[in-house]
Amino acid sequence: MGELAVEKHVKFILTIEKEKDSFESVVMEHIRLNGAYWALTTLDILGKLNTVDQDEVVSWMMQCQHESGGFGGNIGHDPHLLYTLSAIQVLALFDKIDALDIDKVSNYIAGLQNNDGSFSGDMWGEIDTRFSCVAILSLALLKRLDKINVEKAVNYIVSCKNLDGGFGCTPGAESHAGQIFCCVAALAVTGSLHHVDKDLLGWWLCERQVKSGGLNGRPEKLPDVCYSWWVLSSLIMIDRVHWIDKEKLIKFILDCQDKENGGISDQPEDAVDVFHTYFGVAGLSLLEYPGLKAIDPAYALPVDVVNRIFFGR
Amino acid sequence: MDVLQKSSERIPLSQRPEYADVKPVPQDDGPNPIVPISYTDEFRETMDYFRAIYVADEQSHRALQLTTEAIKLNPGNYTVWQFRRLVLEALNADMNKELDFSDGIVEGNSKNYQIWHHRRWVAENLGTDASTRELEFTKKILSKDAKHYHAWSHRQWVLQALGGWKDELAYCELLLKDDIFNNSAWNQRYFVVTRSPLLGGLGAMRESEVTCTVNAIMEHPENESPWRYLRGLYRNDTQALVKDPQVASVCLKILTAKNNYVHALSMLLDLLCHGFQPSLEIRNAVYGLSDSGAQGSDLVKVVCSILELVDPMRANYWKWRRNMAPAQAAQCLKDDGLTGLSL
C-alpha cells in the first residue's frame, strides 16, 4: 500500500498562491473563507497548524464579518451561513472563538430559521438541508442552540428522509451522501439520531463502495474522494463504519495523491485541489491512518479542538 | 452589445465613457493571505468597478451591466448575484429576459448553486406562467446529464410551486428507457407517484408500478435502484411485500439464472426476516448457489453465508445480518402485527 506524502501536502497547501492566474484561483475568491477552513483543518490534522500566522488569519477573517453578525466568503462579500460556519470553525482551530460577539453571530444564524424549521442560507431564502446542518453546527459550537427551535429544525430534517433511509436537500429530493452527512450531523449534534434508521441507512451507505474501493455519492455514480468524508463520517456517526472495506478505501484515497507536487484529487490521475486534499486527509483520519490527528465526524474539526470547546477550561 | 464577445474585443472599463465617473475599489486580501489568490487583469478590473458600484449601492442600468460582466467572469460569486437581484427589482426588469440571461450562463456552469437559486427567484416572480419554460429548461440540462442534482431539485420545486405534473411520469419512463440505472429518475418516479395531485397516490398506483419495477429488475438484476424502489412501494406495508407473488417470483427467476443475484438474495433475506415462507423451488435455488451444499439448514443463514462470499466488500454487513436474523425475524413479525403466530 502506498504512503501519505505528508510533507508534500503541507507544502501544497502553504504554497497554492504559486498557481498564477489559474481559473481555479480566480473563482475561489468569494469562498476564500471555506478555502481557509479546508486548508487550516488539513494542516492541523497533519500536525502543522503552527506553520501559519494565526493573528493574520483571524484579523483577515474578522473583516469578513458584517453588521448583521454573519460572515461573507471574503472581505466585501455578503453574509451567508456557509461562511459563518467556516469562520467559527477556523476560530475554534485557533481557540479564539471568544474573539466573536457570540450573541451577535448566533442571532444572525437563528434569524435565518423559517417557520417550518428549515434554514435559509441567507436573506435571499434558498432552503437546503445543508443550511440546517451549518446552522446547527455553528450554534452548537457557540453553545447557543437554545436560540433556535430545535424540535422544528429536527422535524424539517426528518421530512427530508427518503424511502432508502437517506436524505436529500429538500423533501422528496434524491438521497445524496453530501446531504446525508448534513442531516446526520445535525441530528447527531441535537441528540436526535433515533430518527435515523441506522441499519437501513448504514446499508445504503456501505453500498456506496465500488470495486476500486472508493465511495460514490449515489447509486451508479463514480467514486470521488470527497465521499470518503461524507459517507464515512455518516457511517461513523450511526456506528456502522465496519460495514465497508476500510483497507480498500484507504488505498483508493492514497491513489488519489499527487505524490510529486502534493495535494489530493477527486479520483486517481485527476488534478488536485485544496477541497479534495482536505476530504482525503480527513477521510484517512477517520480511517485511523497512522500519524494523523483524530477528527470529529460531526463537527469536522480535530477531536482535541471539539473537546477543548465542550470539556476544556 | 455584448462587450465580452472575445477577450481581445473587450473594451476595458476604464475606457468606457459610461463608467468615467466610477472610482474602482481594489480587493483587500490582507497581508500574506492564507489561501492567496492571483487574478487576471480583466477579472481584477471588473471586480474593482463592481465593488465601487456595490459600495455605493447604485442600482442602475450600468450596474446591471457590470453584474452581467462579473457573473460571466465568475458565476460562483454570490455577492454579485445578490446585488443583481436588488438592481433587477429597482429597475422593475423584465423577468423573462432575465431567464434568457440565465439560459446563457448555465452552459458550462451548471453545477453552481447561485445560478439555480437565481433562476428560482426569477421564476417565482413570474409565477405559474414560468412552469412550462422551467420544465423545458431542466429537461435540456438533464438531456446532457440525466442525474444533475441541481436540475432535479429545481424541477421538483417547479412542479410543487408552479405546477405542470401532467407529463412527469411519462418523462421518468423516458429517462429510464434511456438509462434504467438512473437513480435520479427512479427517485423522481417515486416523487411523482406519491405527490402528483393528478394521480391516485401510492395505493392506487402500486400494482402497475410493481409490474414496471419487476420488469426493470429482470432487465438488469444488478441494478440497485429498482430494488430500492420496490421496497419503497411497500413502505409501511411489509406484509403486502412478503405476500406479493411478483416479488417472490422475480427473486426465484434471478436465483435460478445464477447471474447478478446479490440484490435478489438481499431481497429474499428481507422477505424471510418478515415471515416469508419460501417454496421448495426457492430453497433449491438458494442451495444451488451455495458451495457447501447446505441443505436443510436455516435458509437465512445460508443466504447470508453466500452473500458474505460473493459480496466480500460488505462481508461485515452480511455477517451482522446473519447474527441478527433470529432476533430480527421476531421483531419484524412483532412490527408487522403478527406476534403470536409461529413461523
Side-chain angles (χ1 to χ4, degrees), chain B residues 8-293:
Chain B
S8 53
E9 285 177 17
R10 175 183 176 270
I11 301 169
L13 287 153
S14 56
Q15 290 169 27
R16 294 188 227 170
E18 64 269 31
Y19 292 97
D21 63 300
V22 176
K23 187 156 180 273
V25 174
Q27 171 76 22
D28 174 14
D29 282 345
N32 299 323
I34 176 62
V35 186
I37 310 292
S38 308
Y39 309 101
T40 63
D41 287 339
E42 189 180 315
F43 179 82
R44 188 200 308 273
E45 194 198 30
T46 308
M47 290 314 296
D48 289 352
Y49 273 77
F50 168 75
R51 231 168 267 116
I53 298 284
Y54 171 77
V55 160
D57 201 19
E58 183 190 310
Q59 295 169 12
S60 63
H61 284 284
R62 69 178 184 179
L64 189 65
Q65 176 59 28
L66 260 182
T67 62
T68 301
E69 295 186 33
I71 283 167
K72 284 182 178 174
L73 283 168
N74 187 0
N77 192 322
Y78 69 99
T79 301
V80 176
W81 281 106
Q82 288 172 179
F83 189 69
R84 186 182 176 87
R85 285 192 278 279
L86 290 174
V87 175
L88 288 168
E89 275 181 335
L91 297 177
N92 201 24
D94 180 341
M95 290 297 166
N96 277 300
K97 284 218 178 79
E98 189 60 13
L99 284 182
D100 293 338
F101 168 71
S102 166
D103 286 352
I105 293 294
V106 162
E107 203 77 31
N109 293 304
S110 68
K111 298 271 165 95
N112 170 313
Y113 285 103
Q114 285 68 40
I115 288 177
W116 289 98
H117 177 55
H118 187 74
R119 235 197 133 86
R120 190 176 298 203
W121 178 83
V122 176
E124 221 162 11
N125 268 282
L126 286 166
T128 51
D129 285 345
S131 164
T132 308
R133 178 171 181 167
E134 291 311 279
L135 290 176
E136 275 311 304
F137 176 75
T138 48
K139 204 181 245 190
K140 194 163 155 223
I141 303 289
L142 292 168
S143 70
K144 297 193 192 128
D145 176 1
K147 303 179 187 182
H148 198 294
Y149 200 78
H150 297 280
W152 280 116
S153 173
H154 188 70
R155 197 174 174 89
Q156 288 193 344
W157 172 80
V158 170
L159 288 167
Q160 293 192 292
L162 308 177
W165 294 91
K166 193 164 63 75
D167 302 317
E168 196 62 12
L169 187 59
Y171 178 57
C172 292
E173 286 175 338
L174 201 67
L175 287 174
L176 288 172
K177 210 164 164 184
D178 245 356
D179 178 11
I180 197 74
F181 291 88
N182 186 341
N183 192 64
S184 307
W186 282 104
N187 183 75
Q188 187 73 351
R189 193 175 182 124
Y190 197 76
F191 183 79
V192 175
V193 161
T194 51
R195 292 169 194 253
S196 169
L198 304 176
L199 301 170
L202 191 53
M205 302 285 298
R206 190 198 281 165
E207 209 180 315
S208 55
E209 287 300 293
V210 169
T211 306
C212 286
T213 311
V214 162
N215 290 340
I217 287 172
M218 283 307 299
E219 244 181 82
H220 283 280
E222 74 279 22
N223 188 355
E224 197 182 329
S225 305
W227 289 102
R228 292 193 188 275
Y229 189 75
L230 193 56
R231 287 178 177 85
L233 291 173
Y234 283 104
R235 193 182 214 176
N236 299 327
D237 195 359
T238 325
Q239 280 311 301
L241 174 76
V242 169
K243 293 199 180 85
D244 188 337
Q246 286 193 85
V247 177
S249 161
V250 74
C251 288
L252 175 59
K253 286 194 183 111
I254 294 164
L255 296 174
T256 311
K258 296 195 180 185
N259 197 22
N260 288 320
Y261 51 81
V262 171
H263 293 312
L265 275 179
S266 168
M267 173 61 86
L268 179 61
L269 180 59
D270 287 347
L271 296 175
L272 291 169
C273 288
H274 282 277
F276 175 66
Q277 300 297 317
S279 63
L280 189 58
E281 283 172 298
I282 286 186
R283 283 188 173 273
N284 287 336
V286 171
Y287 296 145
L289 296 171
S290 163
D291 279 338
S292 58

Side-chain angles (χ1 to χ4, degrees), chain B residues 309-321:
Chain B
L309 281 174
V310 301
D311 189 18
M313 224 180 291
R314 280 162 278 277
N316 285 341
Y317 173 70
W318 300 119
K319 275 195 185 81
W320 174 79
R321 289 297 303 264

Side-chain angles (χ1 to χ4, degrees), chain A residues 258-271:
Chain A
D258 179 341
K259 291 179 118 165
E260 263 185 53
N261 305 308
I264 297 177
S265 64
D266 62 337
Q267 293 184 44
E269 311 299 320
D270 276 359

Side-chain angles (χ1 to χ4, degrees), chain A residues 270-312:
Chain A
D270 276 359
V272 303
D273 59 48
V274 69
F275 176 84
H276 289 95
T277 304
Y278 162 69
F279 286 114
V281 171
L284 287 171
S285 167
L286 288 179
L287 291 163
E288 296 171 308
Y289 188 87
L292 305 180
K293 261 194 178 186
I295 187 166
D296 183 292
Y299 291 105
L301 286 167
V303 168
D304 61 349
V305 171
V306 175
N307 286 345
R308 188 170 59 205
I309 293 173
F310 292 111
F311 307 120

Side-chain angles (χ1 to χ4, degrees), chain A residues 160-168 172-177 180 196-205 208 217-219, chain B residues 183 186-187 190 224-225 227-229 231-233 235:
Chain A
C160 297
K161 190 163 53 158
N162 293 318
L163 56 98
D164 49 26
F167 297 82
E174 189 185 2
S175 294
H176 180 290
I180 288 170
V196 176
D197 185 333
K198 295 181 186 175
D199 297 332
L200 184 59
L201 179 57
W203 177 46
W204 188 93
L205 288 167
R208 293 311 107 236
R218 294 180 273 170
Chain B
N183 192 64
W186 282 104
N187 183 75
Y190 197 76
E224 197 182 329
S225 305
W227 289 102
R228 292 193 188 275
Y229 189 75
R231 287 178 177 85
L233 291 173
R235 193 182 214 176

